[in-house]
Amino acid sequence: MKGWKLRLGIRICRRPCAAARRVVTLRMPPRRPRPRSVRSRADVRMLAARAHTAAVDMGDVGARLVGRFGPEVEGWLAEVPTLAARLASRWGLVLGELFESGASSLVMRCRWPDGTPAVLKLSPDRALLTKQVEMLRVFASSGRVPAVLSTDAEAGAMVLEEVLPGTEAEDMPTTSLPQLWGELLAALHTVAPPAQWPWDLRGRCDEAFVRIGRRLSEPAIGARIDQAAWQRSIRRCETLLDTQATLVLLHGDLHLGNALDGGPSRGLVAIDPKACIGDPCFDAVDYVVAGAGHEGVEARCQLVATACGLDGDRLYAWSRVIAPMVAIAHLTYGGPEPVIDELLALAC
């Protein structure tokens, strides 16, 4: 289903949404201009940035960030126009429209002075953004992640290459996608993990089960997914983690919204990594579970396992692990009942 970010229980769209429910204009704050004779090039860029307006459903963006960081993030949101203008002035960027970003950052299009497109990403979680910069640079040799062009760790900001044409994988032809996914995994998984890489799949899964598991206390969620089902998924996950034979550097969050079309010569490009070391099947499981309501999870699993050269039994077992997490996302946003039913049956 378009817009679902699996395992996180949020709905996002990485590309600008043409049918936003409510469009709000984000205006750069006014500033008294200096006399023309004393304006520098930096002043001109700053004024241009502050004059720019960007349309986006800011209520939706703000709600996701508040849901992740709490109400205190509203102060950071209020300062975003000033922060973006300051960074645009320093880096010589022309700011463009906002994307409907995820739960931990705010992302907007921008251009370098020569017109080259780029993406400005801002986050109130500076440590998270710094970690993501490190992960993108580790995967850079694969050619399958956006290039990091500029960073400011103190401001919680980075500028990335804009992936073009940038169509999300979920909107690409279904017939060619399995092969493209296999090529993406092959490129990513050949990157050697740096020595003493601190993040592994066990930690990634532990964090997800704790964070998402809190939502079982919500009546609408608890009525469909009980503690017994949740604990069953945890046990299945532990079994898979205890039997990992092949370990690779995983993207770690490779759902259909995090893979973009980089064009015929490049193939799929992965964004927003949560790189960790673990079972290669994990980077295909979101794609498999997205088969619910379409050809079905089991049928897609066979197709993807063949295309990616993965163990089909382990891939299907992973799909049973994350099925309740994906069901929570659909329950949260009114997903199709047949899809929810298939996911809950998979989790049994």
Side-chain angles (χ1 to χ4, degrees):
M1 179 177 178
K2 180 175 174 57
W4 293 103
K5 183 169 184 179
L6 307 185
R7 298 206 302 273
L8 295 183
I10 57 172
R11 189 182 182 196
I12 65 170
C13 179
R14 288 287 174 190
R15 317 314 295 166
C17 180
R21 295 187 303 279
R22 180 172 61 88
V23 175
V24 176
T25 300
L26 175 67
R27 297 184 181 277
M28 296 302 175
R31 183 184 185 186
R32 184 184 300 277
R34 291 159 63 184
R36 182 178 301 273
S37 61
V38 295
R39 287 186 198 167
S40 65
R41 289 185 180 180
D43 293 324
V44 173
R45 289 171 183 156
M46 175 69 85
L47 290 171
R50 291 175 182 272
H52 174 78
T53 61
V56 72
D57 187 345
M58 282 298 293
D60 194 35
V61 172
R64 286 195 296 270
L65 288 167
V66 169
R68 175 68 178 267
F69 298 111
E72 57 271 20
V73 81
E74 292 175 357
W76 178 84
L77 281 167
E79 294 299 318
V80 162
T82 300
L83 173 61
R86 177 166 57 83
L87 293 169
S89 174
R90 182 198 308 170
W91 287 329
L93 300 171
V94 178
L95 301 179
E97 71 270 21
L98 287 167
F99 292 117
E100 285 205 3
S101 314
S104 61
S105 63
L106 187 149
V107 185
M108 66 178 69
R109 273 201 174 99
C110 58
R111 298 193 314 275
W112 294 106
D114 64 0
T116 302
V119 172
L120 174 63
K121 185 170 185 175
L122 309 172
S123 177
D125 189 339
R126 296 176 179 86
L128 177 67
L129 189 132
T130 298
K131 183 189 298 185
Q132 192 170 92
V133 168
E134 180 181 2
M135 293 175 176
L136 288 168
R137 285 175 170 161
V138 167
F139 278 123
S141 61
S142 72
R144 295 302 190 107
V145 295
V148 178
L149 305 176
S150 292
T151 65
D152 185 331
E154 184 177 348
M158 64 176 160
V159 181
L160 299 168
E161 161 202 9
E162 182 176 6
V163 179
L164 297 173
T167 306
E168 291 184 0
E170 62 187 337
D171 295 325
M172 296 175 66
T174 57
T175 53
S176 59
L177 195 54
Q179 179 182 344
L180 292 172
W181 206 271
E183 293 169 354
L184 174 62
L185 295 198
L188 293 176
H189 293 173
T190 55
V191 175
Q196 299 181 332
W197 188 253
W199 302 290
D200 62 16
L201 184 54
R202 189 179 297 274
R204 173 93 171 91
C205 292
D206 288 347
E207 184 275 334
F209 273 113
V210 170
R211 173 170 45 85
I212 301 173
R214 298 189 188 106
R215 303 205 53 205
L216 298 184
S217 63
E218 299 174 20
I221 305 299
R224 303 294 295 275
I225 304 172
D226 59 18
Q227 281 291 340
W230 197 249
Q231 291 301 317
R232 188 162 52 244
S233 288
I234 291 175
R235 289 193 298 272
R236 286 172 175 155
C237 182
E238 290 173 345
T239 298
L240 287 167
L241 291 170
D242 289 342
T243 56
Q244 297 178 101
T246 302
L247 299 177
V248 300
L249 185 64
L250 299 166
H251 176 282
D253 195 21
L254 197 56
H255 56 81
L256 289 168
N258 269 355
L260 308 180
D261 182 7
S265 63
R266 191 175 187 185
L268 292 177
V269 176
I271 62 174
D272 294 352
K274 294 185 177 179
C276 56
I277 297 172
D279 186 342
C281 288
F282 193 77
D283 271 351
V285 68
D286 281 306
Y287 176 23
V288 167
V289 174
H294 298 284
E295 70 270 37
V297 172
E298 187 171 3
R300 182 170 291 187
C301 182
Q302 295 173 359
L303 187 66
V304 173
T306 300
C308 298
L310 298 171
D311 182 325
D313 292 338
R314 286 190 67 85
L315 183 55
Y316 187 70
W318 274 113
S319 72
R320 301 188 74 187
V321 168
I322 74 161
M325 299 184 185
V326 181
I328 288 174
H330 284 284
L331 287 167
T332 301
Y333 295 100
E337 196 62 30
V339 173
I340 296 171
D341 288 343
E342 182 176 353
L343 293 170
L344 295 180
L346 189 63
C348 289

